[in-house]
């Protein structure tokens, strides 16, 4: 399925210490007509590729800074003009702006919401403050509760920084109580993060953290979905490539991005860096843009980095995200995350899989005992 990441604005009501967009002194927001134009361009792009189902992620900046009725009118016109396409909608938000109009929008179009929530309350509030310096964790948790009470599907996105490496993992139980699936992303050296090297992760830090999460979830029997851990574990168990764009060599055939200027990029990571522009919504993908997409595709299909060719796990990740290549976006070298993913796979193929096997056997015995009562 083809997915559009629509970065309708780079404006935001927060000032996160590590924001990938960097300084917010210059902001731009797509007009309602431009949002619709971007969606219509994507519909035509999907039709050319023979897609019957298309998904849209409303992204930013903070997408909820745009009035909900604008999105509603665009979605209505889109579905009216393209009735043969099945549409799926998502929204990635900081979760601090939520009113009746947005609840109505999310419910009406069955929009799944991803909310940024950086694990423990203290870590989150230190890193994700409002422009006025206020904490945001409490308000976000209240809004998550409100969304779930209204039947809106919600998941959480956490950015791991150095500050969180040694924090108690008990926060996972809170996420479990909220029935909140969690995706843990590593902090990358982009945007504002370059000014906050005290938050920077070292090689292997992210991998070791994910291993610790695996052990905590099993040892404490925490019923929570954690990505990419769950995807990587399934890959080990079933011998298939993990889900998620990081591990998919066809990522450039599955994602496309339109930013707040109406420019087209291979994905959101490239759009945030203003790198590898492929065209714009008024003229479509240019000839040079086609070459950009082809080069990125070849990087993971036929031009794997030398280090990847020597790696046991090359068939699982196919060189990793091109935006994280050590020689720059889309480069031919391995990504900055290689050591981390190698550590996770090493563990899962060894001690991790054995621990998981014992855990499943214990659960099996417990279920059999209950059935015999």
């Amino acid at each position: 399925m083809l997915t559009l990441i629509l970065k309708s604005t780079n404006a935001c009501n927060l000032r996160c210490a590590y924001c990938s967009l960097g300084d917010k002194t210059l902001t731009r927001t797509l007009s309602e007509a431009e949002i619709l134009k971007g969606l219509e361009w994507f519909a035509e792009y999907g039709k050319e590729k023979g897609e019957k189902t298309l998904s849209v992620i409303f992204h930013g900046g903070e997408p909820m800074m745009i009035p909900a009725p604008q999105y509603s009118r665009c979605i209505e016109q889109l579905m009216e003009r393209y009735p043969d396409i099945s549409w799926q909608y998502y929204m990635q938000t900081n979760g601090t702006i939520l009113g009746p109009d947005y609840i109505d929008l999310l419910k009406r179009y069955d929009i799944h919401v991803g909310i940024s929530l950086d694990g423990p309350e203290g870590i989150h509030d230190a890193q994700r403050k409002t422009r006025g310096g206020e904490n945001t964790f409490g308000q976000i948790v209240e809004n998550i509760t409100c969304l779930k009470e209204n039947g809106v599907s919600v998941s959480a996105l956490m950015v791991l920084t150095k500050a969180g490496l040694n924090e108690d993992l008990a926060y996972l139980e809170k996420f479990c109580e909220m029935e909140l699936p969690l995706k843990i992303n590593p902090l990358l050296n982009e945007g504002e993060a370059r000014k906050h090297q005290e938050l920077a992760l070292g090689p292997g830090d992210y991998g070791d953290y994910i291993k610790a999460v695996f052990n905590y979830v099993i040892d404490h029997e925490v019923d929570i979905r954690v990505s990419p851990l769950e995807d990587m574990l399934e890959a080990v168990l079933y011998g298939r490539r993990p889900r998620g764009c990081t591990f998919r060599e066809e990522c450039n055939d599955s994602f496309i991005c339109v930013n707040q200027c109406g420019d087209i990029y291979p994905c959101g990571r490239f759009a945030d860096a203003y790198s590898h522009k492929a065209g714009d919504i008024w003229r479509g993908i240019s000839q040079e843009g086609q070459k950009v997409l082809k080069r990125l595709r070849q990087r993971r299909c036929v031009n794997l980095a030398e280090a990847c060719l020597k790696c046991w796990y090359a068939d699982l990740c196919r060189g990793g995200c091109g935006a994280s290549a050590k020689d720059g976006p889309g480069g031919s070298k391995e990504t900055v995350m290689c050591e981390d993913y190698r550590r996770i796979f090493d563990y899962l193929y060894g001690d991790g899989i054995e621990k998981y096997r014992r855990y499943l056997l214990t659960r099996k015995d417990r279920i059999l005992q209950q059935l015999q009562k």
Side-chain angles (χ1 to χ4, degrees):
M1 181 170 61
L2 190 61
T3 297
L4 169 68
I5 304 169
L6 181 63
K7 289 179 168 285
S8 46
T9 182
N10 64 342
C12 187
N13 61 317
L14 300 190
R15 288 298 178 266
C16 300
Y18 53 72
C19 179
S20 62
L21 293 178
D23 191 359
K24 302 275 192 322
T25 53
L26 296 175
T27 61
R28 190 185 189 284
T29 298
L30 293 176
S31 67
E32 183 174 329
E34 289 172 329
I35 291 175
L36 181 58
K37 177 64 178 177
L39 292 171
E40 290 179 330
W41 169 80
F42 177 58
E44 294 294 336
Y45 181 67
K47 285 176 62 178
E48 288 175 9
K49 290 181 170 292
E51 298 282 351
K52 301 297 183 182
T53 300
L54 297 174
S55 69
V56 177
I57 303 174
F58 297 107
H59 210 289
E62 174 46 53
M64 286 191 181
M65 293 192 74
I66 293 174
Q70 288 193 29
Y71 287 123
S72 182
R73 288 191 290 268
C74 289
I75 291 173
E76 285 294 327
Q77 292 181 70
L78 183 71
M79 294 193 300
E80 181 180 337
R81 296 177 188 181
Y82 298 93
D84 296 335
I85 295 177
S86 176
W87 293 94
Q88 297 178 5
Y89 302 105
Y90 304 82
M91 184 170 285
Q92 183 61 43
T93 171
N94 61 40
T96 61
I97 305 173
L98 185 68
D101 53 348
Y102 258 101
I103 292 175
D104 178 68
L105 174 78
L106 299 171
K107 290 172 64 177
R108 186 185 310 172
Y109 302 107
D110 192 24
I111 301 175
H112 174 88
V113 179
I115 292 183
S116 297
L117 195 63
D118 282 355
E121 182 173 359
I123 295 295
H124 174 96
D125 281 339
Q127 298 175 170
R128 301 184 62 84
K129 293 184 180 292
T130 66
R131 283 181 289 191
E134 291 112 0
N135 295 335
T136 58
F137 186 90
Q139 181 62 56
I140 293 170
V141 171
E142 286 183 18
N143 286 342
I144 288 172
T145 301
C146 178
L147 288 170
K148 293 183 76 67
E149 288 175 347
N150 279 277
V152 177
S153 176
V154 188
S155 62
L157 173 65
M158 167 185 165
V159 174
L160 175 67
T161 66
K162 186 176 182 179
L165 289 177
N166 297 316
E167 285 292 310
D168 192 333
L169 295 177
Y171 76 88
L172 293 166
E173 300 183 40
K174 174 66 174 178
F175 280 63
C176 178
E177 291 172 11
M178 293 190 290
E179 298 182 340
L180 202 61
L182 175 63
K183 182 177 183 181
I184 303 177
N185 280 349
L187 177 66
L188 298 171
N189 192 30
E190 300 171 350
E192 288 296 287
R194 294 193 182 96
K195 303 176 185 178
H196 293 275
Q197 290 302 303
E198 74 279 3
L199 298 177
L201 298 173
D205 282 347
Y206 175 74
D208 290 342
Y209 187 85
I210 295 298
K211 287 159 53 180
V213 168
F214 175 86
N215 287 314
Y216 188 95
V217 167
I218 289 183
D219 291 341
H220 295 80
E221 297 191 0
V222 183
D223 187 13
I224 182 175
R225 289 172 49 203
V226 180
S227 177
L229 175 58
E230 183 179 87
D231 299 333
M232 297 175 81
L233 179 59
E234 285 185 1
V236 171
L237 291 172
Y238 302 112
R240 65 189 183 206
R241 193 165 300 148
R243 290 172 292 181
C245 58
T246 297
F247 304 104
R248 292 166 60 183
E249 65 181 348
E250 70 277 13
C251 62
N252 294 125
D253 294 322
S254 301
F255 292 89
I256 201 77
C257 177
V258 169
N259 77 349
Q260 70 278 355
C261 299
D263 294 329
I264 299 169
Y265 289 89
C267 75
R269 290 280 309 281
F270 288 111
D272 290 350
Y274 296 96
S275 172
H276 288 56
K277 178 180 171 180
D280 61 56
I281 58 176
W282 297 278
R283 289 163 291 192
I285 295 178
S286 65
Q287 287 187 341
E288 183 56 38
Q290 295 288 359
K291 295 177 183 178
V292 166
L293 297 178
K294 182 178 180 180
R295 286 195 298 269
L296 290 171
R297 190 179 301 111
Q298 288 179 332
R299 176 191 172 274
R300 304 191 75 170
C301 297
V302 296
N303 295 330
L304 281 178
E306 184 176 349
C308 296
L309 294 174
K310 300 176 182 178
C311 179
W312 283 98
Y313 309 120
D315 284 340
L316 291 175
C317 76
R318 301 305 297 174
C321 176
S324 300
K326 290 182 179 179
D327 53 347
S332 60
K333 291 188 178 180
E334 69 274 19
T335 77
V336 296
M337 298 304 300
C338 275
E339 176 60 25
D340 296 276
Y341 291 130
R342 189 178 296 115
R343 290 191 188 189
I344 299 170
F345 280 125
D346 278 345
Y347 180 73
L348 291 179
Y349 272 105
D351 293 341
I353 197 68
E354 176 59 24
K355 182 164 190 167
Y356 190 62
R357 184 186 71 84
R358 293 196 301 268
Y359 164 70
L360 292 177
L361 288 173
T362 300
R363 289 195 63 177
K364 175 185 175 182
D365 290 342
R366 192 179 303 158
I367 292 171
L368 290 174
Q369 290 172 9
Q370 292 175 346
L371 290 174
Q372 292 170 359
K373 289 182 180 179

